[in-house]
Amino acid sequence: MDEEIRVCSMCGCELQENETIEVEGDLICDECATEHTTTCDHCGETIWTEDAITDEHMTLCSCCYDDHYRRCENCGRLVHDNDTLWSKTKVFLRDWNAPYRVALRTQTGVCQTEG
């Protein structure tokens, strides 16, 4: 019986058993995985870098973004649904310390406040 030879779907190199990574149904080598993939911060899945939804602090797959996150209309930061405040059709990052104000927080503090 001939052994099936598997090749990386990105670069075409022959894959060894211990250096195979599957990304969305494609088998790739470690080198291509390092160069072309990232990890979703919410679910931990390996995804293509070009398909990732990102900001300065977070990387998400499209499923996690669609199901659990929004993008702040003022600062562009990815915000978990539990931390959002809607103003008509816009979404903002909620400031839990000021329940009737919307403050857009960053890791270094408040970046902008809406009245």
Side-chain angles (χ1 to χ4, degrees):
M1 268 192 184
D2 290 331
E3 223 177 280
E4 182 180 333
I5 297 174
R6 299 184 304 169
V7 296
C8 175
S9 63
M10 292 294 294
C11 70
C13 75
E14 188 174 329
L15 296 171
Q16 303 300 317
E17 187 67 34
N18 61 345
E19 63 178 30
T20 302
I21 297 169
E22 185 174 345
V23 181
E24 298 176 10
D26 294 324
L27 294 177
I28 60 173
C29 65
D30 290 339
E31 188 175 323
C32 286
T34 299
E35 189 174 332
H36 299 288
T37 67
T38 189
T39 303
C40 175
D41 290 330
H42 186 85
C43 70
E45 285 292 317
T46 301
I47 57 174
W48 298 112
T49 303
E50 66 185 23
D51 295 336
I53 299 164
T54 64
D55 67 6
E56 295 176 7
H57 310 285
M58 189 173 302
T59 299
L60 298 170
C61 66
S62 61
C63 290
C64 288
Y65 176 77
D66 291 343
D67 293 345
H68 305 288
Y69 289 83
R70 303 293 170 257
R71 193 172 292 278
C72 176
E73 296 287 336
N74 281 344
C75 68
R77 184 173 175 194
L78 294 171
V79 183
H80 192 277
D81 285 342
N82 292 341
D83 294 326
T84 59
L85 180 65
W86 290 83
S87 172
K88 295 183 183 169
T89 60
K90 293 186 176 185
V91 63
F92 300 99
L93 179 59
R94 178 186 293 278
D95 180 359
W96 293 105
N97 297 320
Y100 298 105
R101 291 176 33 222
V102 177
L104 305 172
R105 295 175 290 178
T106 65
Q107 289 183 335
T108 58
V110 175
C111 66
Q112 188 173 351
T113 301
E114 292 283 317

